[in-house]
Amino acid sequence: MFNGLQWHIYVADANGALYEDALHPLAKPTHKLEVCMTDLDTAKARTFFRDPAKSAAQVTTQTGIRSLIPAADIDDYVFEPCGYSMNGILGGGFMTIHITPEDGFSYASVEISGFDPSAYCPADMVSRIMGIFKPGKVSVSLSVDVASSSGEYSWGALAYRPVGYGCQSATCQELSTGGRVAYYTFSPASSYAGKLAAAAVVAKAAAAAAAVAAAEAAAAAYAAEEAHLRPKT
């Protein structure tokens, strides 16, 4: 659990924690990027309501989903009255997207897995995904199930935060199989800055209240001491 959120990663390896090398070619790392988003922008979400004049393929192209992995073979569908799902494959990699666009509980998830780590920049991909949906809250997970032959990781961290968003939290955890998972949460920069400003105001108010209370306590103690020392008549 991190900041009240839980992200579960299940990794199984019949041979234990292996590293990719000549003796263990099946231990080639699987790289996975997952982006879960809520509070989607209303206008962006509206594009995933069924429109008889538009095909699923048109929605996929016009929203920018097609451009995420342009060469992928995609099977997409827009539900009635709303909702969208797609699966795309390219070589040994795949991408899957599921969207619930209803206002009040909108949600979108994107998973990209099985591609070579050099196929795309994770930070750029996350920025482009978030540009499609303009979410209010975002969780990002980058995981790799085994390390490279040198025991190091060349993939699994965001080089920069998505444009227009602030990072609320970030953590990284090693896996028993030799891999690791990095987990981030983001919110719009304006909202994040507002929260920081509000927290600063609360902190200042609390500090001022504490100072007033300390001054009142000191005054009361001084008055009590004065009363004690005053000659009795």
Side-chain angles (χ1 to χ4, degrees):
M1 179 178 289
F2 190 76
N3 279 4
L5 300 174
Q6 291 185 342
W7 191 271
H8 300 275
I9 299 291
Y10 297 93
V11 178
D13 190 331
N15 300 309
L18 295 179
Y19 299 95
E20 180 188 9
D21 55 31
L23 297 178
H24 305 101
L26 296 180
K28 183 176 180 179
T30 297
H31 301 83
K32 180 182 293 186
L33 167 66
E34 297 173 89
V35 184
C36 294
M37 298 160 283
T38 57
D39 299 337
L40 309 183
D41 176 80
T42 302
K44 296 285 188 179
R46 193 68 196 174
T47 60
F48 298 102
F49 279 70
R50 177 177 283 278
D51 180 348
K54 290 184 179 180
S55 66
Q58 287 177 306
V59 172
T60 299
T61 299
Q62 293 173 4
T63 57
I65 290 175
R66 160 63 70 181
S67 66
L68 294 177
I69 302 180
D73 183 13
I74 292 178
D75 179 26
D76 44 20
Y77 190 81
V78 180
F79 295 92
E80 179 68 46
C82 63
Y84 173 93
S85 287
M86 67 79 73
N87 292 294
I89 57 173
L90 179 62
F94 75 87
M95 173 175 64
T96 184
I97 298 177
H98 304 289
I99 304 167
T100 299
E102 292 93 333
D103 190 33
F105 47 90
S106 57
Y107 173 83
S109 66
V110 178
E111 177 182 344
I112 301 175
S113 181
F115 289 94
D116 187 272
S118 63
Y120 63 89
C121 167
D124 175 67
M125 181 64 76
V126 170
S127 290
R128 290 193 286 143
I129 289 171
M130 290 167 65
I132 293 173
F133 301 100
K134 296 293 183 183
K137 297 179 182 178
V138 186
S139 293
V140 176
S141 169
L142 296 97
S143 59
V144 56
D145 55 352
V146 295
S148 64
S149 57
S150 63
E152 299 176 348
Y153 305 94
S154 60
W155 192 91
L158 295 180
Y160 52 87
R161 60 180 174 78
V163 176
Y165 284 80
C167 182
Q168 293 184 313
S169 60
T171 186
C172 183
Q173 183 174 336
E174 300 286 328
L175 303 178
S176 60
T177 56
R180 72 172 179 179
V181 57
Y183 179 72
Y184 303 83
T185 60
F186 298 97
S187 64
S190 57
S191 172
Y192 185 56
K195 290 180 180 178
L196 289 178
V201 170
V202 171
K204 288 181 179 179
V212 170
E216 290 177 344
Y222 179 76
E225 183 67 17
E226 283 285 300
H228 177 73
L229 295 176
R230 188 180 300 122
K232 295 184 175 58
T233 58

